Amino acid sequence: METRETTQDNRPRRPKRAPGNSAQVRPGLRRRLGWAVRSGKLPALLLAGSAAWLLYDALTSPRYVVREVQAEGNRALSLAAIRQIAAAEGTPIWLVRQDEIEARIGQSPYIEAVRARAALPDRLIVQVRERHPDVRWIHNGASYAVTWDGLVLDRVAEVAPASAPDTSQGGALPPLPPAPASTAAAEAAPTAVTAEPTPEVVRQVEIVDTTPNRELKPGDRVDPDALEVARRIMLRIEELPAPLQRIEWDAGLGVSLIVADGRQVVIGRSERLEEKLAILTYLLQQGTNFRFLDLRPTTPYYR
């Protein structure tokens, strides 16, 4: 029969442990490394360290500094001008404020829309959509490129003194070409320029501003209604029984047409334009003798 050793108070005596086993055995380095790999802690630590190094390298490396500015869609505004306005070269690509660059470039009267984006490691790409200067506005012996919404883009040419407008006799500008103005926007793209943007404009519509004591400079706006009247008249130019010498605009009178022999026909604004053109066509077909015709009132006046 098996007997157990007991203490004096009859409790079972615990067996004695061998010397050296009083502390719990710790796992070895290999076992701990395997556990770190299986648990995912070691890969996460390595990934975090790599990310920190890449971030430090990206922020401090000269490889990530803007060295090249590319432009897309520009013709009137040169690449040199875009680079100067953007002022991004030499800036760390992470610190480039694309919205600020777009705002600065968008202030140019040549630009209708702009988008800037960074391309790693060292490029800035600027995409622009330019306004098409398809109208010439002639004033004080100078010709200005003007868009259909009335923005004066630039001074493009001097008008010869012999062609300067003469409000009393109608001047001596050559007749306008019979090309329809609806194609002006597609055909009037400016030619390539150097550092100074001076776009060449296809001669579709010319409006002679006869307003005295008027200053005009790029960035100003002219009457967009006058441009609409001119566009619609150019679409109907072949219907007029007499050749059209030029289109004039005055701050007081509005739009006037100078027809054969220097006769002045005041159109005014675009309201009732079809009716006004119908009256003008009838009077010209009937051979009515006049030097001045005002079609602004419902009852036309002529002398």
Side-chain angles (χ1 to χ4, degrees):
M1 184 176 195
E2 182 181 0
T3 61
R4 295 183 179 179
E5 295 185 9
T6 61
T7 59
Q8 294 180 356
D9 54 1
N10 293 325
R11 288 183 299 177
R13 186 185 297 274
R14 293 180 180 178
K16 296 181 179 181
R17 297 185 180 185
N21 292 334
S22 58
Q24 185 177 1
V25 178
R26 296 181 179 179
L29 178 60
R30 182 178 300 178
R31 181 175 297 180
R32 284 183 293 180
L33 185 61
W35 173 83
V37 171
R38 289 192 301 272
S39 64
K41 288 188 175 182
L42 182 60
L45 182 62
L46 294 176
L47 183 61
S50 301
W53 168 253
L54 290 175
L55 178 61
Y56 173 80
D57 180 69
L59 293 176
T60 59
S61 174
R63 292 177 298 171
Y64 300 99
V65 172
V66 177
R67 301 180 185 276
E68 181 183 2
V69 176
Q70 295 181 350
E72 298 176 359
N74 64 306
R75 296 189 65 181
L77 195 62
S78 66
L79 175 60
I82 291 178
R83 292 173 57 188
Q84 182 179 4
I85 298 173
E89 293 174 278
T91 303
I93 200 165
W94 317 107
L95 303 181
V96 172
R97 297 294 302 271
Q98 300 174 22
D99 54 343
E100 294 180 359
I101 293 175
E102 291 171 354
R104 290 199 299 270
I105 296 177
Q107 292 177 356
S108 170
Y110 287 99
I111 302 302
E112 183 178 7
V114 57
R115 178 175 179 265
R117 60 184 176 89
L120 294 176
D122 59 357
R123 286 186 302 149
L124 177 69
I125 301 175
V126 179
Q127 297 173 313
V128 299
R129 184 170 70 248
E130 294 182 343
R131 301 178 186 271
H132 289 167
D134 45 14
V135 182
R136 283 189 177 181
W137 189 278
I138 300 174
H139 180 64
N140 285 343
S143 180
Y144 297 85
V146 179
T147 62
W148 280 117
D149 58 358
L151 180 65
V152 179
L153 293 186
D154 207 350
R155 184 169 177 163
V156 295
E158 294 290 338
V159 178
S163 299
D166 181 352
T167 57
S168 61
Q169 298 299 327
L173 286 177
L176 293 173
S182 59
T183 61
E187 299 176 358
T191 57
V193 296
T194 56
E196 290 296 329
T198 53
E200 293 293 331
V201 184
V202 174
R203 189 171 181 265
Q204 294 290 338
V205 178
E206 289 186 351
I207 300 177
V208 180
D209 186 348
T210 61
T211 306
N213 303 320
R214 169 181 165 87
E215 294 294 332
L216 195 63
K217 61 183 183 300
D220 290 348
R221 287 192 175 270
V222 297
D223 186 5
D225 187 75
L227 304 176
E228 174 63 16
V229 172
R231 183 185 72 84
R232 292 167 63 181
I233 288 175
M234 290 298 296
L235 289 172
R236 305 280 299 275
I237 191 172
E238 294 183 350
E239 301 176 13
L240 294 179
L244 177 63
Q245 291 184 342
R246 69 172 179 270
I247 302 174
E248 291 185 351
W249 181 85
D250 177 84
L253 295 177
V255 175
S256 294
L257 307 182
I258 307 301
V259 296
D261 302 325
R263 289 180 285 179
Q264 183 177 4
V265 180
V266 180
I267 300 292
R269 301 188 62 80
S270 59
E271 61 268 11
R272 301 174 33 247
L273 181 59
E274 299 300 321
E275 176 187 338
K276 295 172 184 177
L277 292 178
I279 295 173
L280 173 60
T281 300
Y282 175 80
L283 294 177
L284 292 175
Q285 288 175 343
Q286 296 299 313
T288 304
N289 185 23
F290 66 87
R291 297 297 299 173
F292 177 86
L293 172 63
D294 192 349
L295 295 174
R296 291 175 297 174
T298 53
T299 301
Y301 164 80
Y302 67 90
R303 64 175 185 266

